Amino acid sequence: MTALISDCSQLLLCLASDWDAPSGRLQRFERQPDGGWLALGPALPVSLGWAGLAWGRGLHPLLPGRTKREGDGRAPAGIFAISALFGDAAPDSLFARAAKLPYLHASANLKAIDDLASVHYNRIVDQTAIAQPDWVSCEDMLRDDSRYTVGAVVGHNIAPVLPGAGSCIFLHVWTGPGVATAGCTAMSQADMTQVAGWLDGACLPLLVQLPRATYACLREPWALPDFPA
């Protein structure tokens, strides 16, 4: 696991006070030439799932404890790749052209599939490219609020996809300070925009999300940086 962490040079470390906390703090880190980590800016306040955290399916080994399930209101704990950005900015916008990860334009046809019976479960798809849509439940990526104005895709439950283990986990804009999510990690629009502009696929960015006590136990085995006070 330490070898995997050492491969990335951008890290988002998010800590919650305990497994049931609906909020936390997120710190950006960049790998330095000597292999150490440099914290960038202040720790950002974030909202988590209304029920807190549960172990997700990511790049970390299987660990004992509560595991995330579809609809449980918990954000996934563990280590996850950040694979893409999304937002309502047009594909030819300055933001989209400057993106250093694949960019998904949140059009009316972009859907996040949460139907356990669909072959597209836990995928973001352009419904115009699907000959026979097989879902009865999905989330519109083009919203009438600001939550998906800008965001990033978290690589949870993807290798392989396990129906029912949780779908479509994102970093996105919060509804408001202190307002919990259904299972994503959310922050202010200004903070999310800054994070999205910073993320670079060439740096193999990772999200590590843990309760503080678990982080204290795993910090050395996983070669994680110290979280600033």
Side-chain angles (χ1 to χ4, degrees), residues 4-5 10-12 53-60 68 75-83 153-158 169 204-210 222:
L4 176 62
I5 294 296
Q10 285 187 333
L11 182 68
L12 292 173
L53 295 169
W55 286 117
R57 299 182 72 243
L59 302 174
H60 54 282
K68 177 159 179 58
I79 303 175
F80 309 95
I82 301 174
S83 59
V153 178
V154 176
H156 167 261
N157 188 25
I158 60 172
I169 300 298
L204 303 178
L206 296 176
L207 169 67
V208 178
Q209 197 156 251
L210 297 166
W222 285 9

Side-chain angles (χ1 to χ4, degrees), residues 89-175:
D92 61 352
S93 66
L94 180 61
F95 176 82
R97 287 188 283 112
K100 297 183 286 290
L101 280 168
Y103 177 72
L104 305 173
H105 176 224
S107 70
N109 289 311
L110 197 67
K111 309 295 182 182
I113 311 304
D114 57 12
D115 185 339
L116 277 64
S118 172
V119 298
H120 305 288
Y121 175 72
N122 197 28
R123 309 287 190 200
I124 301 175
V125 301
D126 181 342
Q127 65 180 0
T128 64
I130 307 299
Q132 293 183 316
D134 65 345
W135 57 84
V136 296
S137 176
C138 69
E139 185 175 9
D140 294 335
M141 296 298 291
L142 180 63
R143 302 179 58 93
D144 57 9
D145 57 26
S146 63
R147 283 192 288 168
Y148 290 176
T149 295
V150 59
V153 178
V154 176
H156 167 261
N157 188 25
I158 60 172
V161 174
L162 179 65
S167 62
C168 304
I169 300 298
F170 307 132
L171 305 174
H172 66 75
V173 177
W174 62 19
T175 300

